Amino acid sequence: MDKREARLRRARKTRVRIAEQCMTRLVVYRSNAHIYAQIIAPTGDRILASASTAEAGVRSSLKNGGNRAAATEIGKRIAERAKAAGVETVAFDRAGYRFHGRVQALAEAAREAGLKF
């Protein structure tokens, strides 16, 4: 099993548990260059809000999209957009990534901006 398969296996277990709870989830995906966050409806068929460092407005303000500062900015943006969509509470789906570094920075920024999980 390679690193990718192991991460996806961990992600699958988390997603099954969140699906049982029927909660809106905050999904994080990180690549070397960018970080992405989405708020997905409990049914899993609609994206209620999204934010990423690949957006034009964010790319112009940040020097690098693959660091903790960029993740903090995306955490703030996703929390604002979630509130605008009427979402207050979410389940954090880290997609099998360790809760460390950029993933942790995004989560803490979202919590500080008022998102509950």
Side-chain angles (χ1 to χ4, degrees):
M1 182 178 321
D2 64 356
K3 287 173 71 171
R4 183 175 178 274
E5 289 174 356
R7 181 185 69 81
L8 293 175
R9 180 184 54 82
R10 287 189 304 271
R12 205 172 309 121
K13 289 194 304 186
T14 303
R15 289 189 181 129
V16 166
R17 186 175 176 106
I18 292 171
E20 288 173 354
Q21 296 172 350
C22 294
M23 289 193 67
T24 305
R25 58 190 173 120
L26 168 60
V27 182
V28 174
Y29 175 75
R30 66 177 174 84
S31 67
N32 288 338
H34 296 288
I35 191 158
Y36 307 83
Q38 295 179 331
I39 303 288
I40 298 180
T43 55
D45 62 345
R46 288 185 300 135
I47 296 172
L48 305 175
S50 66
S52 75
T53 54
E55 296 172 358
V58 178
R59 284 178 25 182
S60 63
S61 65
L62 294 173
K63 183 178 178 184
N64 183 2
N67 59 16
R68 287 179 64 103
T72 301
E73 179 64 29
I74 296 305
K76 291 175 188 173
R77 284 178 177 256
I78 195 67
E80 291 169 3
R81 293 177 183 176
K83 284 185 171 182
V87 177
E88 294 287 328
T89 306
V90 296
F92 188 61
D93 182 357
R94 55 190 172 81
Y97 299 113
R98 287 178 57 200
F99 190 78
H100 176 75
R102 291 188 286 160
V103 175
Q104 182 179 7
L106 187 142
E108 289 174 353
R111 280 190 185 123
E112 288 174 9
L115 209 54
K116 294 177 188 158
F117 54 94

